[in-house]
Amino acid sequence: MRVIIRLVMASVFLLTLNACEDPEDRTLINNRGFVYCGQGQPNTFNPQLTDGGLTAEVLSNQLFDRLLQLDPDSHKPVSMLAKAWTVSEDGKRYVFKLRQNVHFHTTAWFSPTREMTSEDVVFSFRRLIDPENAYSGISGGQYPWFNSLDFSGLVESVDAVDKYTVAFTLSRPDVSFLATLSTPYAVIHSAEYATLLVKNNQQDRIDHYPVGTGPFYLEQYKPNELIRLKRHWDYWNGAAPMEQVVFDISSRGTGRLAKLITHECDVLSAPIASQLSVIEGDKKFVLSSQTGMNVAFLALNTRHPALSELEVRQAINYAINRSALLKSVYYGTGNAATGMLPPMSWAYDTTAKTPYDPQLAMALMAKGGYRNGFEVNLLVPTLAKPYNPSPRKTAELIQADLKEIGVKVNIVSQEEINRQSLRDDPAGHDMVLTGWIADNGDPDNFLRPLLSCNAKFTGWNMSNWCNRYFDRFLDAAISTSDIAERKTDYFKAQQILRDRLPVIPLAHGVYFQARQADLKGFSLTPYGDNSFANVSRGGR
């Protein structure tokens, strides 16, 4: 049977997609790489500039390394580029000892002359905190994830103690700091490359022509078609078995499941729930799953006249039938959300309940002054995510539920929700169907980036909500290492969310990945995709 291959992964380095019809050629391709079908288009290859998407969730782990990474079992920070570290008694100074013989990528646009040193770590983080840095304002100068954490207010300085030692000085204790450095946003760039670009007045190229230390480097990018990564032979942790990885980011032709079935794709990221039975029933494929550290939620713009009323927000919460949502959208694979934190979080509040009471919702609408209802626009992304496998269907169910209490919902579809535009026009949206995939296991990662007052100013707090008592509990929770004290503070913060309801938690999804059965070495974590450094292909 002749198989049409749209993404060529052989040793033939072509600039366009080609067809491969010779079974022997396909075998050669299989031995040297694989095709990954994901979703979304990157507008940068620097995860520091993003608020999620393909760059942060998948590409970052292939192109870059971080000082620390999360242990796949304990989910605690462990060594990566930093081989050891110490923390001062007052919790405000972190000193990291770096690995030696770590090499940056050699690419068509840059050839390094030295290994990674503390100079590279200092550059990578000073860009984020120093407004006088030559790269501070490059590519828009916005670092959404870091800004939502007030990273520049937390980190007073980053200094090279010696060639392989770096010290971070904090303005206040923060026990979540090591977890922050473990996320795919906290990547290490080449200071040597950055210096060269300054000399050539080409600073913006650092964000579009990346140079990292990861297991793969960028060789080719064709917008709306493909991203090709090649093996980094000098990778500090050993060269990857695969010669290359090609990301199919095209939207033409057949759907993603059809591409998996016809072998146009080797890996299918986040198949939708209705496709799972098809994949499970075919022995040519392996379907992997991982309980996700994620949440789907409805953000209510508290600047909207009706949504500014607490009783109205409460009514919306009571009106949504989460059981029907789980059945129709998640096909029984998810969990109803009682709060923002998922059940696997150590700060999950087991006493919280999932409300559904349409009659009470009607009474609350009347109490809030909207007995006759009102009209809102609901922004809905078109791309499926692990926390929401079918956003459009979710929106339609919410639309039907809210109609019963007099709220007319107009669904406005966008490929992805642009947090930047929402920040620049805070009154330009009413409700947003969105979600979050945690970057680490600390509860702070679910609450501060999305709901703190600082996040309101950076655009991540799409509810335009600010509660100083909520922020105080978050700050108290990261100022101590006592888990019991931290849990108490997080419980109090979550109670404020249940009382004030700037967001309506909906569900926690399961992360799925489908692949050809002969691909080995994939690992799924609760935070999404991991590195492809250990992926190999066995015999069929």
Side-chain angles (χ1 to χ4, degrees), residues 490-507:
Y490 284 130
F491 279 9
K492 291 177 180 178
Q494 291 176 83
Q495 185 61 54
I496 290 175
L497 292 182
R498 289 194 294 272
D499 290 342
R500 306 309 300 173
L501 287 172
V503 295
I504 308 296
L506 300 173

Side-chain angles (χ1 to χ4, degrees), residues 295-310:
V295 63
F297 63 92
L298 191 63
L300 309 180
N301 188 350
T302 55
R303 294 192 179 186
H304 185 281
L307 299 177
S308 67
E309 299 293 335
L310 174 59

Side-chain angles (χ1 to χ4, degrees), residues 439-452:
D439 309 296
N440 59 63
D442 198 284
D444 192 77
N445 190 253
F446 269 96
L447 302 175
R448 189 181 302 274
L450 301 175
L451 291 160
S452 66

Side-chain angles (χ1 to χ4, degrees), residues 170-341:
L170 309 187
S171 61
R172 56 187 182 272
D174 184 346
V175 295
S176 68
F177 185 65
L178 293 177
T180 296
L181 297 186
S182 306
T183 68
Y185 298 98
V187 297
I188 305 303
H189 293 270
S190 166
E192 183 185 16
Y193 178 46
T195 300
L196 176 64
L197 294 178
V198 169
K199 291 180 179 178
N200 296 332
N201 196 28
Q202 296 178 319
Q203 289 99 310
D204 63 324
R205 288 176 65 89
I206 199 170
D207 301 317
H208 303 286
Y209 296 85
V211 173
T213 63
F216 296 91
Y217 66 89
L218 178 66
E219 190 205 39
Q220 181 187 12
Y221 171 44
K222 297 191 72 176
N224 301 308
E225 290 192 17
L226 67 86
I227 302 167
R228 188 189 305 274
L229 308 184
K230 296 299 294 295
R231 174 169 50 201
H232 179 197
W233 279 107
D234 291 327
Y235 187 50
W236 62 270
N237 203 27
M242 288 299 197
E243 179 181 297
Q244 57 183 316
V245 181
V246 173
F247 290 80
D248 179 351
I249 55 174
S250 65
S251 57
R252 305 186 311 271
T254 59
R256 296 192 304 140
L257 177 60
K259 290 180 179 180
L260 179 72
I261 293 173
T262 60
H263 289 196
E264 294 179 67
C265 289
D266 294 297
V267 181
L268 175 58
S269 174
I272 62 176
S274 60
Q275 298 173 339
L276 301 181
S277 60
V278 176
I279 298 169
E280 284 182 309
D282 195 324
K283 294 183 179 180
K284 296 192 300 293
F285 309 126
V286 173
L287 181 65
S288 301
S289 65
Q290 170 66 57
T291 303
M293 286 284 279
N294 61 54
V295 63
F297 63 92
L298 191 63
L300 309 180
N301 188 350
T302 55
R303 294 192 179 186
H304 185 281
L307 299 177
S308 67
E309 299 293 335
L310 174 59
E311 291 84 1
V312 171
R313 300 198 300 272
Q314 290 173 330
I316 293 172
N317 190 38
Y318 279 109
I320 296 175
N321 188 340
R322 291 169 178 80
S323 296
L325 183 67
L326 291 175
K327 182 178 179 180
S328 300
V329 175
Y330 295 81
Y331 287 75
T333 63
N335 296 304
T338 61
M340 294 296 282
L341 296 182

